[in-house]
Amino acid sequence: MEGLEQQKSAGPAGVLGDRMGIEFIEASPDRVVATMPVEGNTQPYGLLHGGASCVLAESLGSVGATLHGETVDRPFALGIDINATHHKGARTGTITGVATPVFRGRSMATYEIVITDELGDRVCTARLTCLLRAG
């Protein structure tokens, strides 16, 4: 029960996102923006971990899908597919993710998430599809 209460009290990034330092800047069904530090989210070779990019992408896409789901009375978004292409490594600084909708229906939503480094260079492109469910 303690874990459930902790999850409920977590911010929009959830417990994992909070641990990874994800900070939301903007959130609407049309566009979700968040940042995440590279430090603390690296693999053994000192580069941003690909899984960390996927956590950021899923956090962004899930928030967008949930906000869209609220407009069609299906406020629960469940990620059912994610894919990511890692274009460039990052060793320091902060990355920024921007999620925009590719498709928004009554029972499903798909978002493209573009993650860039502080220079504006693309680090990762991801796509997340969520199933939208009613309570």
Side-chain angles (χ1 to χ4, degrees):
M1 196 67 165
E2 183 178 311
L4 180 60
E5 291 306 313
Q6 184 180 13
Q7 183 68 37
K8 286 180 180 177
S9 68
V15 174
L16 176 60
D18 287 348
R19 285 183 186 158
M20 296 180 73
I22 295 174
E23 293 186 24
F24 282 83
I25 296 169
E26 177 184 338
S28 75
D30 297 320
R31 180 176 154 97
V32 184
V33 181
T35 61
M36 184 178 75
V38 173
E39 184 178 346
N41 294 312
T42 57
Q43 38 92 313
Y45 303 106
L47 292 170
L48 176 66
H49 195 293
S53 295
C54 288
V55 169
L56 177 59
E58 184 147 358
S59 299
L60 288 161
S62 294
V63 167
T66 297
L67 293 171
H68 164 67
E70 290 174 352
T71 69
V72 294
D73 296 323
R74 293 177 178 243
F76 297 101
L78 305 169
I80 59 172
D81 181 64
I82 186 167
N83 66 68
T85 301
H86 306 288
H87 306 288
K88 178 183 174 189
R91 291 187 180 278
T92 61
T94 300
I95 57 172
T96 301
V98 178
T100 54
V102 174
F103 172 82
R104 290 182 295 187
R106 180 160 169 70
S107 62
M108 188 176 293
T110 300
Y111 280 76
E112 177 184 59
I113 303 94
V114 175
I115 300 173
T116 57
D117 63 16
E118 290 176 330
L119 298 175
D121 293 335
R122 192 176 290 226
V123 172
C124 177
T125 303
R127 188 185 74 217
L128 175 73
T129 298
C130 291
L131 179 66
L132 303 175
R133 303 233 1 200

